Amino acid sequence: MPTKIAAGNWKMNGLQTDMLELQLISKAAEQMDCRTIICPPTTLLGNATKFSKEIFIGGQDCHPEPSGAYTGDISANMLADTGASYVLVGHSERRSYHGENSTIVRAKAEAAIAATLKPVICVGENLQQRKSGDAIETVSSQIKDSVPANSEIILAYEPIWAIGTGVIPSFKEICQMHDAIRALLIKNYGSIGQKISILYGGSVKPSNAAEIFSATNVNGALVGGASLKSTDFIPIMRALSKS
Ligand code: PGA
């Protein structure tokens, strides 16, 4: 069975004072039957890893190279050095604001694995691709190009049009996409493909989490806005724990 994962992506949010939220989330995590990962901004990683007994900590991006003259970037080795154990790669905000294509995303995922981090590889279609019926084809080709030949990964399906908008795909659409991703992973990895966690991301809230987690091939969520406050994130963790 794939590991059930509640992952929070804090994006460019969070100051030292928000460590209290992390403390509350980590305390709640002790009671949950799921894995909790929080990806805070880089500035909070050092402090955040103090909670790594109860929860796992991840970076939000890494450079493909282990070190070098790349001002402002952070390598997978550096993330691992803070005590982090996961890293997001290929988030749609990186793909669109930083021009990252699937070749770069794959190199980042490989760098993460080489540094003993687990990459959470993000894929997802835009609204136009969804409307023209190309969503599954788009995501399949992103997976083909972004995912290295290694089973130590997590996949996050995040329809771009659902991120931060409050709009989510129908339950049927979520099931269809996650079933298609599972079939592709099994085709690529054989029985190992059964065990890779596939997370749904995009406007996950306490009010819709239980329904989303009832889909067979949804093994958790990658949560943005609703991961910033423990009062929103803990009910999502609880819904996953009970699923
Ligand atoms: P959201 O973001 O939950 O705020 O929609 C999800 C994400 O970007 O990972």
Side-chain angles (χ1 to χ4, degrees), residues 9 11 91 93 158 162-165 201-204 222-226:
N9 172 13
K11 308 191 181 187
H91 189 280
E93 286 150 19
E158 299 201 302
I163 295 177
T165 59
S203 296
V204 177
L222 178 55
V223 184

Side-chain angles (χ1 to χ4, degrees), residues 194-212:
Q194 295 272 22
K195 295 193 191 125
I196 294 174
S197 302
I198 308 172
L199 315 184
Y200 168 80
S203 296
V204 177
K205 307 262 180 279
S207 56
N208 59 23
E211 187 188 15
I212 294 170

Side-chain angles (χ1 to χ4, degrees), residues 169-199:
S170 68
F171 182 68
K172 193 173 158 213
E173 287 168 332
I174 292 177
C175 291
Q176 280 170 341
M177 181 61 82
H178 280 249
D179 291 352
I181 295 174
R182 176 67 68 210
L184 192 60
L185 293 177
I186 293 171
K187 189 166 153 243
N188 291 353
Y189 298 110
S191 60
I192 292 168
Q194 295 272 22
K195 295 193 191 125
I196 294 174
S197 302
I198 308 172
L199 315 184

